[in-house]
Amino acid sequence: MNENARPLRRNEIRAQNEALILQAAEMVFAEAGFGGATMQLIADMAGLPKANLHYYFATKEDLYRRVVQNIFEIWLHAADCFDAAPGPVEAIGAYVDAKMEISRRHLNGSKVWASEVMHGAPVIQDYLETTLRDWTAGRARLIQNWVDEGRMDPVNPRHLLYMLWATTQHYADFGHQIETLNDGQPLSDAEWLAAKESVKSIILKGIGAI
Amino acid sequence: MNENARPLRRNEIRAQNEALILQAAEMVFAEAGFGGATMQLIADMAGLPKANLHYYFATKEDLYRRVVQNIFEIWLHAADCFDAAPGPVEAIGAYVDAKMEISRRHLNGSKVWASEVMHGAPVIQDYLETTLRDWTAGRARLIQNWVDEGRMDPVNPRHLLYMLWATTQHYADFGHQIETLNDGQPLSDAEWLAAKESVKSIILKGIGAI
DNA sequence: CTTCACCTTGACCATACGGTCAGGAAAAGA
DNA sequence: TCTTTTCCTGACCGTATGGTCAAGGTGAAG
C-alpha cells in the first residue's frame, strides 16, 4: 500500500495503518452495522491481512469504539460556533451549517453514530450521560436566555435542539432515501445549499428569531 | 399464500404464530440490527423453537423483509390525513401528529425502517423507487399548490417533507438519547404532547402558514 | 376410525466468524 | 556490527450461526 519509495518510520507506520483501518472500519460499520460488519471485510477494505487489524485493535469492539469516539468528537466540535455567536440567528445558522457539513463530509461517521444511539448506545452511554448532558444543558440555558431577552419565541430549548439534530442528521442517515427521491442522483452543491438554507430559514422563522 | 378453503382453526394457528414471530423479530432487529440479530434470539423472544421459525419464514431475510414491509405500510398510511385536510395547517398538523404517534407506538418498527434505509435499502429499494417516489411527488405538488395560492411561504416542498420526516422520526430513532437527556426517564404523556406541539408550531410558523 | 395435510422440534451440518499464535521481517538502538 | 523492539501474517482454533431434516404430533374432513 506504500507506493512511495521512502521507507516509513515506526510512528508513521502506526499512524498510517491505524488511520487506514479506522477509515475502512467506519465505512464497513456504516454500511453493515456492527453486527453485520466483519473484520475480514474491514481488512480487505484497508488492504491489510486480518491478523494485522488485531495487532492494532485487540477486538472488534475496540475498533468500533474508536470509530464512534472519533465521530462523537467531530459531532461535539460543531458546537463551537454556537458559543461564539452573538445571538440566536448567528448561532443557529452557524450550527446548522456546521452540522449539515458533517452530514455531507462524514456521511459514514454520521451513520455509525446514528446506529450506535439507535441500538441503545452500548459503547458511549457514559459520554451521553456526561459530556452530552452537560453540553445540552449549557446550550438549553443559552437558548432560554435568548427567550427571556425576547430575542426569540418562548420555545422549549430541548425540543429545538432535537429539531436541529434531527433535520441536519437526516441528510446523512436517510441520504439514500433522499438520493432515490432525487432521481437517484446525489444532491449537487446547489441542492445542498438549498437544503441548508431551507432548514435555516424555516427554523429561524419558526422560532421567531427573524 | 393464503388458502381460503382451509379450516379456521388452522388459519388461527398460522396467523397467531406469524404475528408472534414478527413481533419478536421486529424487536430483535431493532435492537441488534439485521446483522446482529440471530434467529435463536428471535425464537427465544417468541417462545418457539428455532426450527419453527424456519417453518413459517424460510430465511432470515424473508422474515426481515416482512418486518420492513409491515412498518412501511404503517408509515405510508400516516399520509392519509394529509389528503383529507383542507389546507397546510390542518394537513401538516395532522401529519406530524400521526408520525409522532408512529414514533411512539411503533418504536421498534421505526428503528428497523431507519436502519434499512440507512444501510442502502437492500430489501425495499423498489418500494422507494415506486410507491414512495409517487407519494412524495404527489405531496410535493400539493404543497406547491399551497405556495402558489399564497397560503404559505415559497419553501421547497421536498425539503419541507424531509424536515417533517426527520423531526418526527428522530423521537423514535434517537429515543434513547432523548431519554438519557431527560434524566433517564421516558417522555411522559405531557412531554410527548409538548414535543408534538413544539414541532408543529415551529414548522407551521416557519413556513408562514400561521 | 382413517386419512391427510399441516404443524412441531431435537438433533444435526457446513460455514463463517472473532480471535490467537508462532515465527519471520524490518526498523531502531547499542 | 549485533541486539532489541516493533511490525507483519499464514495457518489455525473454538464457537455460534443460518439452515436442514426426519420423525412424530395434531386437527378436522370424509
Side-chain angles (χ1 to χ4, degrees):
Chain A
M1 281 286 111
N2 175 28
E3 280 132 25
N4 298 344
R6 187 177 68 84
L8 289 169
R9 287 220 194 99
R10 274 276 142 84
N11 48 4
E12 282 177 343
I13 289 177
R14 174 166 283 270
Q16 179 178 304
N17 280 344
E18 282 189 356
L20 207 61
I21 293 167
L22 283 169
Q23 192 180 345
E26 188 179 84
M27 177 176 296
V28 174
F29 283 133
E31 284 177 0
F34 177 79
T38 70
M39 294 298 270
Q40 187 61 63
L41 221 135
I42 296 171
D44 293 348
M45 217 69 156
L48 295 171
K50 193 186 68 166
N52 209 347
L53 296 212
H54 283 102
Y55 174 74
Y56 287 104
F57 301 92
T59 68
K60 190 182 170 186
E61 275 85 358
D62 284 345
L63 178 51
Y64 176 72
R65 182 173 294 113
R66 281 285 299 273
V67 170
V68 170
Q69 284 173 346
N70 280 359
I71 188 65
F72 183 65
E73 288 298 319
I74 292 170
W75 199 83
L76 209 63
H77 233 69
D80 295 347
C81 40
F82 216 100
D83 303 307
V89 177
E90 298 83 357
I92 292 172
Y95 191 52
V96 168
D97 282 341
K99 300 224 65 188
M100 287 292 276
E101 214 53 35
I102 290 176
S103 283
R104 188 176 189 187
R105 304 293 171 201
H106 300 275
L107 190 132
N108 287 326
S110 295
K111 288 181 178 179
V112 173
W113 170 255
S115 194
E116 163 71 7
V117 173
M118 225 167 64
H119 297 138
V123 320
I124 42 93
Q125 180 62 24
D126 52 330
Y127 279 80
L128 295 190
E129 289 175 1
T130 55
T131 318
L132 183 63
R133 197 174 269 177
D134 293 345
W135 184 90
T136 306
R139 258 28 75 158
R141 237 178 286 118
L142 194 59
I143 294 170
Q144 190 59 52
N145 282 345
W146 291 331
V147 169
D148 294 342
E149 292 165 7
R151 303 173 77 172
M152 53 180 278
D153 293 344
V155 303
N156 182 315
R158 283 173 188 273
H159 291 304
L160 173 56
L161 284 173
Y162 300 156
M163 180 175 271
L164 292 171
W165 293 343
T167 46
T168 53
Q169 184 94 27
H170 187 79
Y171 284 87
D173 302 344
F174 285 73
H176 176 80
Q177 180 173 278
I178 291 174
E179 187 172 319
T180 298
L181 295 176
N182 194 42
D183 294 319
Q185 298 298 313
L187 295 189
S188 64
D189 286 357
E191 285 164 336
W192 272 97
L193 189 65
K196 267 200 281 195
E197 293 308 314
S198 191
V199 167
K200 277 193 284 187
S201 81
I202 293 179
I203 291 181
L204 287 175
K205 179 171 183 179
I207 62 174
I210 51 174
Chain B
M1 269 285 176
N2 279 337
E3 302 85 349
N4 295 337
R6 195 74 39 65
L8 186 70
R9 182 97 189 99
R10 281 276 156 83
N11 279 347
E12 281 178 351
I13 290 177
R14 174 168 281 270
Q16 181 178 307
N17 279 345
E18 282 189 356
L20 205 64
I21 294 168
L22 283 169
Q23 193 180 344
E26 187 179 86
M27 176 177 294
V28 174
F29 283 134
E31 284 177 1
F34 177 80
T38 71
M39 293 299 268
Q40 188 60 63
L41 222 134
I42 296 171
D44 293 347
M45 219 65 158
L48 295 170
K50 192 186 70 167
N52 210 348
L53 297 213
H54 281 101
Y55 174 73
Y56 287 104
F57 301 92
T59 68
K60 189 182 172 187
E61 275 87 357
D62 284 345
L63 178 51
Y64 175 72
R65 184 173 293 116
R66 281 286 299 274
V67 171
V68 170
Q69 284 172 346
N70 280 358
I71 188 64
F72 183 65
E73 289 298 318
I74 293 170
W75 199 82
L76 210 61
H77 225 68
D80 294 347
C81 42
F82 215 100
D83 303 308
V89 177
E90 298 85 357
I92 291 172
Y95 191 52
V96 168
D97 282 342
K99 299 224 65 187
M100 286 292 276
E101 214 54 33
I102 290 176
S103 282
R104 190 177 189 186
R105 303 295 172 198
H106 300 275
L107 190 131
N108 287 327
S110 294
K111 288 181 178 178
V112 173
W113 170 254
S115 196
E116 164 69 7
V117 174
M118 224 167 64
H119 297 138
V123 320
I124 42 95
Q125 179 62 25
D126 52 332
Y127 280 79
L128 295 190
E129 289 174 2
T130 56
T131 317
L132 183 63
R133 195 174 272 177
D134 293 344
W135 185 91
T136 307
R139 261 23 80 158
R141 238 178 285 118
L142 196 59
I143 294 171
Q144 190 58 51
N145 283 344
W146 291 331
V147 169
D148 294 340
E149 292 164 8
R151 303 172 78 174
M152 52 178 282
D153 293 346
V155 304
N156 183 316
R158 284 173 186 272
H159 291 305
L160 173 55
L161 285 173
Y162 300 157
M163 180 175 270
L164 291 171
W165 295 341
T167 46
T168 53
Q169 184 93 25
H170 187 79
Y171 283 88
D173 302 343
F174 286 73
H176 176 80
Q177 181 173 279
I178 291 174
E179 187 173 320
T180 298
L181 295 177
N182 195 42
D183 295 319
Q185 300 297 314
L187 295 190
S188 65
D189 286 357
E191 284 164 337
W192 271 98
L193 188 67
K196 267 199 280 195
E197 294 308 314
S198 191
V199 168
K200 278 193 284 187
S201 80
I202 292 178
I203 292 181
L204 286 174
K205 178 170 182 178
I207 62 172
I210 53 176

